[in-house]
Amino acid sequence: MADLCLVPRGLCRMRATLLDSLGNVADVQNNSWTSAHLVSVGIAPDIEAGDEGTLKNGCGATEASFADNDSIKRYNITVVDARDEPGLRAMMLGLDLIMDSADVIGTADVDQTDDDFEPAKVALEFWMKLYDSDAQDQTRPWLYINFPGTYSWVPQDIELGVDFSSPGFAGKSFKNELWGDGPYGDIAWNPAGQLGPIRNIAQVADE
């Protein structure tokens, strides 16, 4: 078995799928959003430091010490979008849509302290190009990254001014065994509910 040592470059696609409170795909209309306009996605492990201890004698010399393993509790995810996509923002943040006939033209904040408010949970999938030497690999051109469950999404700071504004969202991953291999049938691979990120070399991108 040979390793496929390809080089990822370019964040080309993200698909967000709305989940219910348990982690199933939400049984509602318009429960997914695909974007080709992302600027970046940050993935940072939330690490719980292992316990450490040292025993010193009366002269200050170390007699014994230990350091337990660090562990990953979850991943913190930051998504930065090049465009203002109201449908994506509403899904990620649990907001109300503002409509003009059939067009989505904005979002309205909701009272998150209300008893009826349910924070959004979404599954996230990303596709990146895979390069071999000076071109995209012709056999396995895409890197597929999947978070079966994410939650606790909040908006990031945004600056309004003469320069372009890039809206962003920040959330956290959770283990979601109910995602299975997803509802779309275009990724023949089961992530088995891992905390993420899960990486897989995919032959077909969602384009």
Side-chain angles (χ1 to χ4, degrees), residues 15 125 127 144 181 184-190 200 202 204:
R15 183 167 61 194
E125 302 166 276
W127 284 263
Y144 170 75
D181 57 0
Y184 303 105
D186 53 5
I187 299 296
W189 173 66
N190 189 335
N200 183 50
V204 180

Side-chain angles (χ1 to χ4, degrees), residues 16-24 26 28 30-31 77 87-96 110-112 116-124 148-155 169-174 176:
T17 303
L18 187 65
L19 306 174
D20 65 17
S21 60
L22 295 178
N24 298 289
V28 296
N30 303 318
N31 64 358
I77 308 161
L88 177 62
R89 183 169 65 249
M91 179 180 296
M92 302 289 276
L93 303 179
L95 306 181
D96 291 335
V110 297
D111 184 359
Q112 297 191 5
D116 294 331
F117 176 75
E118 293 188 8
K121 293 183 177 180
V122 297
L124 294 180
T150 67
Y151 74 113
S152 190
W153 287 98
V154 294
F169 321 99
K172 307 175 187 297
S173 70
F174 71 91
N176 183 18

Side-chain angles (χ1 to χ4, degrees), residues 44-48 71-76 172:
D46 185 355
I47 297 175
E48 177 76 19
S71 59
I72 299 174
K73 296 186 293 184
R74 64 188 60 85
Y75 286 84
N76 297 318
K172 307 175 187 297

Side-chain angles (χ1 to χ4, degrees), residues 73-87:
K73 296 186 293 184
R74 64 188 60 85
Y75 286 84
N76 297 318
I77 308 161
T78 304
V79 175
V80 179
D81 202 343
R83 301 195 180 196
D84 181 27
E85 302 185 68

Side-chain angles (χ1 to χ4, degrees), residues 25-105:
V25 175
D27 186 17
V28 296
Q29 290 185 334
N30 303 318
N31 64 358
S32 68
W33 186 277
T34 300
S35 175
H37 307 298
L38 298 191
V39 174
S40 65
V41 172
I43 300 171
D46 185 355
I47 297 175
E48 177 76 19
D51 291 337
E52 296 188 28
T54 302
L55 175 64
K56 294 185 177 182
N57 61 29
C59 197
T62 298
E63 296 284 351
S65 66
F66 73 92
D68 291 339
N69 291 327
D70 295 343
S71 59
I72 299 174
K73 296 186 293 184
R74 64 188 60 85
Y75 286 84
N76 297 318
I77 308 161
T78 304
V79 175
V80 179
D81 202 343
R83 301 195 180 196
D84 181 27
E85 302 185 68
L88 177 62
R89 183 169 65 249
M91 179 180 296
M92 302 289 276
L93 303 179
L95 306 181
D96 291 335
L97 290 173
I98 300 174
M99 307 294 296
D100 181 11
S101 298
D103 296 330
V104 179
I105 61 171

